[in-house]
Amino acid sequence: MEKKKLNLLRHDPWLEPFAAAIEGRHEDVLRVLTRITENTDGSLVRFASAYEYYGLHKLPDDKGWVFREYAPNATAIYLTGTFNDWSRDQAYALYPLGNGVWEAHFGPEMIHNGDLFKLLMEWAGGSGERIPAYARRVVQDENTKIFSAQVYAPENPYRFKINNFRPDTRPLLIYECHIGMAQDREGVGSYEEFRTNTLPRIAADGYNAIQIMAIQEHPYYGSFGYHVSSFYAASSRFGTPDELKHLIDDAHALGIAVIMDIVHSHAVKNEVEGLGRFDGSPDLYFYGDSRREHPAWDSLLFDYGKDNTLHFLLSNCRFWLEEYKFDGFRFDGVTSMLYYDHGLGKAFGSYDDYYDGNQDTNALTYLTLANILIHDVNPDAITIAEEMSGMPGLAVKFEDGGIGFDYRMAMGVPDYWIKLIKEKRDEDWHPTSIFWELTNRRADEKTISYCESHDQALVGDKTIIFRLIDKEMYWHMMTGDDNGIVARGMALHKMIRLVTIATINGGYLNFMGNEFGHPEWIDFPREGNGWSYKYARRQWDLVDREDLKYKFLNRFDNDMVKLVSSVYNFQASPVRKLWEKDDDQVLAFMRGDLLFVFNWNPARSFADYGFLAPAGEYEVVLDSDSPAFGGFGLVDDGVRHFTSPDPLYSPSGKGWLKMYLPARSAQVLRIVRTKTPLTKNVNAEVADDRKLREFE
């Protein structure tokens, strides 16, 4: 019987020369899945339960505690902490159970809620203090700056009120955020501050998901959370585990999904705080050879070919889903995982670059297993790959031959906007290029489109608004101040965002504060800035002030998001290009009954500008030039627009729509009465396009 071809290969014939590699990675997953679940009756969910066994657990009926750790290279392990004056106490010794597992039982009087502790790990030729690998709470002493695990067993733990939340992904509108810098004051924000102050803002802004950075514990705040030390501990610098649960519960009550920025691509090198030489060996979870350290990130690389690494990381995925009710993950650094050379210095200009023997098959297997597991635990979970190489099949289901992510980040889009702003004159912003860049994607994979994320807001880079307006933001953002540079920057800021969200095929992402053009970069406290928190915060007062123009950008973003989210399954509707003319710099396209029209021209406004559109009557539903958004109000938004018939195109249901298009402006119209159905014969549309080219 002939083997059935995977859908990934059926849908993309250009992948046929690489069928063996694609089918091979599919078989690898099936083989590893069978092996690791042979003792769990084939259940990957049961396999991913390490956190239920390892770590510190309180026994029922106040019978004390049990602690377990996996440390095959250890010769002796002691629990040491505030309960025994940090001593090497035989009463707190662990005993080997075999196969690298160590265990100890303690009476209820030996350990108490709030106690600090570590492991005193001994191995042949050495010893050292270690934080348990499965520690669920790790705190830092304010004076000594030393990290320790902490017993967290409150008498009245937080109880979730929302237990059946389902994310709204039609479309998915993500607000990327960081708990510690989400407040006005100079300092580290808290889960509670975010829950009470920032969440209501996000709900009012219309986003239906938050993507939270820096949740997993990390010793260096300035790493933005990407050098993780304790994978099972929610960062204590923001508050307690219960406070994070309360935040997530409140988000769900507001209809907001909570996505976690999870880091499984590498780990911090620290040995006392992290897993570096946890039991004295360099390769417990990581490579032990030349591949151990990332050449660019100064961090350690997981060996995904080890079953204990799979056990640790897959269990970590399940832990955050079940313990905290996160709705999914944005996997960081996926490109680095996929390739032996981490994708460094490679252009990925053809399919050959993806299948040249540089693929890390173990990492591919892990990522696929992670996606299978996550969707087994929660079928409604969201998984997003931060991946820049364009690996085919990344956001295709496993059964179809893919790796199983729901979405991939459209990382080329922010790069495109930066390049356009930096390198092109306004006169050279061509709609053909803009439209192609925003719609050039694989038809079988959903993407998260975005103009900018936290990456563009960091010191060393610039946000879009800062690139457009720069220092003028400090002097000319008062309402009534008619500054040409500011007017240009605000106009383009709105247009860039609108055209990006209008062309999504999966979701849209915005980083905290960028919706209103937050004026300054992000710079975490470090030696180079005197350990200052001045730029590690968000200045919400700017958008709240009536005398500043930030309110206009925020209002436009709100209405833009509201418009897109009001159309059910907006992201799945076809993007139908109606008009693009580079010499005029005009672009028009439709999605469902919404017509998007952009005039990128910096100097020319057009009266009665005509282009072909579905015949009917249109109303204006969004106008970037409206005074409500800080514009000049050159368009009467109350005027209805009617198409004019043309014998050449009327049979196919099209007519000429004539509009006034102010320079540097965008309008969205809704068709309120149509003469023909919006969906029609594709061949007729192709014929129309041919006629139009001849007419031009």
Side-chain angles (χ1 to χ4, degrees), residues 106-152:
F106 306 103
E109 76 287 350
M110 298 176 71
I111 296 176
H112 306 90
N113 182 44
D115 283 341
L116 302 178
F117 69 100
K118 292 183 183 179
L119 299 177
L120 178 57
M121 190 84 66
E122 297 182 359
W123 56 85
S127 65
E129 288 187 342
R130 298 290 186 264
I131 291 177
Y134 292 84
R136 300 193 186 188
R137 181 162 170 80
V138 176
V139 297
Q140 185 179 26
D141 186 277
E142 291 184 5
N143 298 316
T144 65
K145 304 303 180 185
I146 292 173
F147 286 87
S148 303
Q150 185 178 46
V151 180
Y152 190 76

Side-chain angles (χ1 to χ4, degrees), residues 76 139 150 188 219 228 422 501 555 596 641:
V139 297
Q150 185 178 46
V188 180
V228 174
K422 284 174 63 177
I501 198 172
R555 196 176 294 157
F596 297 84
H641 298 267

Side-chain angles (χ1 to χ4, degrees), residues 495 584-587 597-602 604-606 661-666:
M495 294 178 71
D584 292 337
Q585 296 181 265
V586 173
L587 170 68
V597 187
F598 297 83
N599 178 13
W600 299 94
N601 201 300
R604 294 178 61 196
S605 297
F606 299 99
L661 305 180
R664 285 201 192 105
S665 72

Side-chain angles (χ1 to χ4, degrees), residues 384-402:
I384 305 168
E386 189 234 12
E387 206 283 311
M388 62 186 299
S389 77
M391 164 79 74
L394 194 68
V396 171
K397 292 180 180 179
F398 167 66
E399 53 265 35
D400 292 332

Side-chain angles (χ1 to χ4, degrees), residues 670-686:
R670 177 180 281 117
I671 191 164
V672 292
R673 190 161 53 207
T674 180
K675 294 181 179 178
T676 56
L678 291 181
T679 55
K680 60 181 191 59
N681 190 292
V682 174
N683 292 328
E685 190 163 304
V686 171

